[in-house]
Amino acid sequence: MSRPELTGHASLFYNEKEARKYNSSSRMINVQREITLRAIELLLLPTDQTSLILDVGCGSGLSGQVLEEQGHVWVGCDVSRDMLQVAQERMEESFQLNDKEKDKDKMMEEEESSDSDDDDDEDNECPSRGDLMHHDMGTGLPFRPATFDACISISALQWLCYSNSAAQNPKRRLIRFFSSLYSVLKKSARAVLQFYPETAEQAVLISECATAVGFGGGIVVDYPNSAKAKKHYLVLSCDRTSKKQLPQGLTGEDRQSSHVQVSKQQQGKKSKTREKKEGSQNKGMDLEQEGVPKEKGKECSA
């Protein structure tokens, strides 16, 4: 299956049919949720306050829903009107369910009294914790300076590496995007942008364009040796003087370490009466253990 970025502009690929399909896939919903939670973790947000977060390439609002569940307020922008329509429907449905639950609670509390209906209507109004905007991130972000506490982007950044017309230049679009992102974020803010580079050169280009406009940080790779689970996160900080180190990527080494430890214990239990008979097997075990550090070193360096 070819990459969707090679089929044309994102607004054409994510039409109404594709948007509905994207939003109804349980696998896609779970993947998006997992990636969003990881992005929020990498943001290192204060745990005692609500943050205003920009969601670039918000799509059908799956990542925005996770942001709300974590107690944050968000603004999402996307180039696909069909995806935004699905996101709007998701938000309206959520508000309706919330209003029904509030009405039910109020009816139980007010069974013995007959208060004014006007007061009930005012109390049932639920302000939106998310907002949507139709916008192409490659043209720059149209927000006031120092507006957002943080930014996330899930599976969208790689689209800027492709040109859909002779007038589009990937590097210029990336510079324009990162320059505007640097402007709309507060000076203490961080941004975590998960993306799928087609080549190593694309990852380098994205990273270089981000640092060129003033960002500090780098790319965190989770599960680098897994073809399916591998994920790239561009972790950026507006404050280059910050002493916070770049987070480590997830590797799953703990499982390998415990497996090696079990093998050593089993080897130590061999009886003396079977040493001659199983000498060749013991030798094979030694070779296997000698090879473990090499595998670990290869995994860490990826």
Side-chain angles (χ1 to χ4, degrees):
M1 181 179 179
S2 61
R3 294 175 63 95
E5 297 87 358
L6 299 175
T7 62
H9 198 270
S11 61
L12 300 177
F13 178 81
Y14 289 111
N15 52 30
E16 182 178 1
K17 179 180 178 181
E18 193 66 27
R20 302 287 177 185
K21 178 182 176 182
Y22 190 94
N23 194 61
S24 61
S25 170
S26 59
R27 185 190 70 83
M28 187 62 66
I29 292 174
N30 291 333
V31 170
Q32 290 288 300
R33 180 178 182 81
E34 180 181 344
I35 295 175
T36 304
L37 288 172
R38 175 61 170 155
I40 296 175
E41 177 186 357
L42 293 172
L43 283 176
L44 302 178
L45 295 170
T47 58
D48 57 344
Q49 66 185 46
T50 298
S51 299
L52 176 59
I53 301 178
L54 174 62
D55 186 356
V56 179
C58 64
S60 61
L62 295 176
S63 50
Q65 183 178 8
V66 178
L67 290 173
E68 288 193 15
E69 292 173 0
Q70 299 297 312
H72 302 295
V73 180
W74 61 284
V75 176
C77 64
D78 200 277
V79 72
S80 170
R81 292 186 182 275
D82 292 309
M83 290 289 259
L84 291 174
Q85 178 61 35
V86 174
Q88 182 64 35
E89 293 173 1
R90 173 187 290 274
M91 293 169 63
E92 292 176 354
E93 181 181 354
S94 175
F95 294 154
Q96 291 175 1
L97 292 175
N98 190 35
D99 287 343
K100 289 181 179 180
E101 292 179 358
K102 284 188 174 182
D103 290 340
K104 186 181 296 184
D105 293 339
K106 283 187 175 293
M107 289 178 63
M108 294 178 63
E109 294 175 358
E110 300 175 359
E111 286 180 349
E112 299 178 357
S113 63
S114 56
D115 295 338
S116 173
D117 293 337
D118 294 336
D119 294 339
D120 293 345
D121 293 338
E122 291 179 0
D123 293 339
N124 285 335
E125 291 181 0
C126 180
S128 173
R129 300 181 64 184
D131 206 352
L132 303 170
M133 171 182 285
H134 177 249
H135 187 72
D136 180 2
M137 61 178 172
T139 62
L141 300 171
F143 301 104
R144 292 180 180 179
T147 298
F148 298 97
D149 299 307
C151 171
I152 66 168
S153 180
I154 310 300
S155 310
L157 186 58
Q158 70 274 1
W159 284 90
L160 293 182
C161 295
Y162 301 85
S163 58
N164 299 294
S165 66
Q168 289 187 349
N169 181 285
K171 185 174 182 178
R172 290 178 184 174
R173 284 169 59 81
L174 283 166
I175 290 290
R176 191 180 298 118
F177 165 68
F178 282 120
S179 179
S180 61
L181 178 61
Y182 188 86
S183 174
V184 304
L185 290 177
K186 296 179 180 178
K187 293 307 177 183
S188 59
R190 292 167 68 93
V192 176
L193 304 96
Q194 181 271 327
F195 65 105
Y196 293 103
E198 183 179 12
T199 63
E201 288 74 17
Q202 284 187 357
V204 172
L205 174 63
I206 288 173
S207 182
E208 288 180 347
C209 289
T211 57
V213 303
F215 279 113
I219 297 178
V220 175
V221 182
D222 282 354
Y223 308 110
N225 294 324
S226 173
K228 293 184 178 180
K230 185 177 182 179
K231 298 291 184 297
H232 291 75
Y233 296 87
L234 181 63
V235 182
L236 302 175
S237 173
C238 292
D239 184 9
R240 280 190 166 182
T241 63
S242 176
K243 296 182 179 180
K244 294 181 180 179
Q245 295 183 350
L246 196 66
Q248 295 294 320
L250 304 178
T251 62
E253 284 186 345
D254 293 340
R255 288 194 297 269
Q256 293 184 358
S257 298
S258 62
H259 175 73
V260 173
Q261 186 175 6
V262 169
S263 298
K264 290 181 178 180
Q265 291 175 353
Q266 290 177 348
Q267 183 185 9
K269 291 182 179 180
K270 292 192 177 294
S271 62
K272 294 182 179 180
T273 56
R274 299 179 59 185
E275 284 182 354
K276 292 184 179 181
K277 183 177 181 180
E278 298 181 354
S280 59
Q281 295 179 359
N282 290 340
K283 185 176 181 180
M285 275 294 254
D286 293 338
L287 293 175
E288 181 181 352
Q289 290 177 357
E290 290 175 1
V292 169
K294 296 180 181 179
E295 293 180 0
K296 281 192 173 183
K298 181 179 181 181
E299 182 173 348
C300 293
S301 62

